[in-house]
Amino acid sequence: MSDANGKCIHLNQMLREFWGVSEQNVHEFDWVDTLHPEDRGAVVGVSSALKKRCSFELKARYLDTKGRYRMLDTRAHPRFSASGEFVGMIGANVDVTERDEAERARDLLVDELNHRVKNTLSIVQAIAHQTFRKNADPVEARHAFEGRLIALGQAHDLLTEKNWENASLGQLAEVTLDTKGANADLISITGPSVLLAPKQAVSIAMALHELCTNARKYGALSEDEGRVRLDWSKADDARAPLCIVWRESGGPPVSPPARRGFGSTLLERTLAHDLDGEVSVEFEPEGLLCRIALPLDSSVVGIRS
């Protein structure tokens, strides 16, 4: 409660504890001194309400006795004596700090979700365009499209587990290539623990899926004796500290394809251009050899021993 000039004449126990004011010193307390410097404009609204003798609402940050700025939602109404004389204000302050923080976090999550959904739809659109444009057989195109969507979904699952902060390259390779399932004896993976940024994780998952699909259709995995080895390590080039090597062996003789497929486009455009990486594909007689060099995102922990 305040007097007609806005001076405090009563604070309940919770407010006294909030500001560290004793009951005897309430009349000496000035709440204006506790306002956050950026919220000093609130004083103008209170002064105007006092002059007009009307109700007011405001939200502002106040310094509490623990040295923290807390957001208080204030609603006050004028008080009048029995004779109609204005005698001051009476109101309540509600600490809405956590509520406001939760609302801001929610808004950020919604914005981030919208951004990710748009990105994902763009990826799906690109996959569909490349898949159905270059495949005359609709059945084959449908199977290829489904496989690519599954690879995309698996990468998203791993990222979701880490709140879309990063994804482990080892886990990504294991899930995408099914090295603990059907390909346990066919594909080996080795390398240090590496965390990838979301965009890198999605692109590399799609690339590994394409390499595995091509190996099963035309390369090493198309024959019983064929094998694939995937290794990654830290490169000497500071601009591209992550080096990924896909090596096939034991399959049929390899020769360059007559036309460029989705995999070639993905490797060259997405990994080389969008992720600022370097990609080389060599059609060696003993098997396909693909080298991928990528700079690691500085916002995530790159390589750990």
Side-chain angles (χ1 to χ4, degrees):
M1 296 173 63
S2 77
D3 60 19
N5 296 316
K7 194 72 175 177
C8 286
I9 60 175
H10 170 74
L11 297 175
N12 67 6
Q13 181 179 347
M14 291 185 69
L15 271 176
R16 294 199 306 272
E17 292 175 353
F18 178 86
W19 275 311
V21 181
S22 66
E23 190 169 6
Q24 294 77 17
N25 295 326
V26 168
H27 65 286
E28 299 176 357
F29 174 68
D30 188 355
W31 58 271
V32 175
D33 294 336
T34 70
L35 273 170
H36 190 284
E38 296 177 359
D39 295 342
R40 290 296 173 93
V43 178
V44 177
V46 175
S47 298
S48 176
L50 286 168
K51 290 179 181 179
K52 295 178 181 179
R53 301 176 181 181
C54 65
S55 301
F56 70 88
E57 298 180 10
L58 68 88
K59 282 176 63 176
R61 290 164 291 179
Y62 301 85
L63 190 67
D64 68 7
T65 188
K66 297 180 180 179
R68 306 169 303 174
Y69 278 106
R70 306 285 295 180
M71 182 69 76
L72 300 185
D73 188 352
T74 304
R75 300 186 182 190
H77 305 277
R79 295 185 298 118
F80 298 93
S81 67
S83 60
E85 178 186 3
F86 175 64
V87 294
M89 289 286 188
I90 181 170
N93 295 287
V94 179
D95 190 333
V96 295
T97 307
E98 282 75 17
R99 187 190 73 187
D100 279 15
E101 289 175 350
E103 290 176 352
R104 285 195 296 272
R106 180 200 62 197
D107 292 341
L108 285 173
L109 285 174
V110 170
D111 290 342
E112 181 65 18
L113 179 60
N114 287 335
H115 176 69
R116 290 176 189 168
V117 168
K118 289 179 181 178
N119 282 347
T120 301
L121 290 176
S122 296
I123 294 172
V124 172
Q125 184 180 33
I127 292 173
H129 177 72
Q130 290 290 336
T131 302
F132 294 104
R133 181 173 67 90
K134 291 181 177 290
N135 283 274
D137 184 349
V139 175
E140 181 181 350
R142 188 192 70 198
H143 289 161
F145 184 65
E146 290 175 349
R148 288 161 182 164
L149 289 186
I150 290 172
L152 178 63
Q154 290 171 333
H156 278 217
D157 286 342
L158 289 177
L159 288 166
T160 300
E161 291 177 4
K162 297 295 184 180
N163 297 318
W164 275 78
E165 295 177 356
N166 56 63
S168 163
L169 175 55
Q171 286 183 311
L172 194 69
E174 179 184 299
V175 171
T176 305
L177 302 176
D178 196 17
T179 58
K180 288 192 174 181
N183 295 327
D185 299 324
L186 305 176
I187 302 177
S188 64
I189 59 174
T190 57
S193 176
V194 175
L195 297 181
L196 302 171
K199 186 176 181 180
Q200 292 176 321
V202 170
S203 296
I204 290 177
M206 297 301 297
L208 293 179
H209 170 76
E210 291 304 314
L211 288 168
C212 186
T213 299
N214 288 337
R216 190 168 293 282
K217 291 172 64 176
Y218 314 111
L221 300 184
S222 66
E223 295 190 356
D224 294 339
E225 301 302 319
R227 297 291 182 271
V228 172
R229 179 177 173 181
L230 177 70
D231 303 302
W232 60 89
S233 61
K234 184 176 180 180
D236 294 332
D237 185 353
R239 191 179 67 84
L242 177 63
C243 183
I244 303 172
V245 179
W246 172 279
R247 189 186 302 274
E248 299 182 22
S249 62
V254 175
S255 61
R259 65 179 180 85
R260 295 163 54 82
F262 177 80
S264 299
T265 303
L266 175 72
L267 288 170
E268 293 179 6
R269 287 186 182 176
T270 304
L271 295 181
H273 184 265
D274 294 348
L275 299 185
D276 193 25
E278 297 178 2
V279 179
S280 67
V281 179
E282 301 175 25
F283 298 93
E284 298 183 347
E286 59 272 18
L288 179 74
L289 175 62
C290 177
R291 291 189 176 92
I292 302 170
L294 292 174
L296 288 170
D297 192 326
S298 59
S299 65
V300 299
V301 179
I303 296 179
R304 298 193 302 264
S305 58

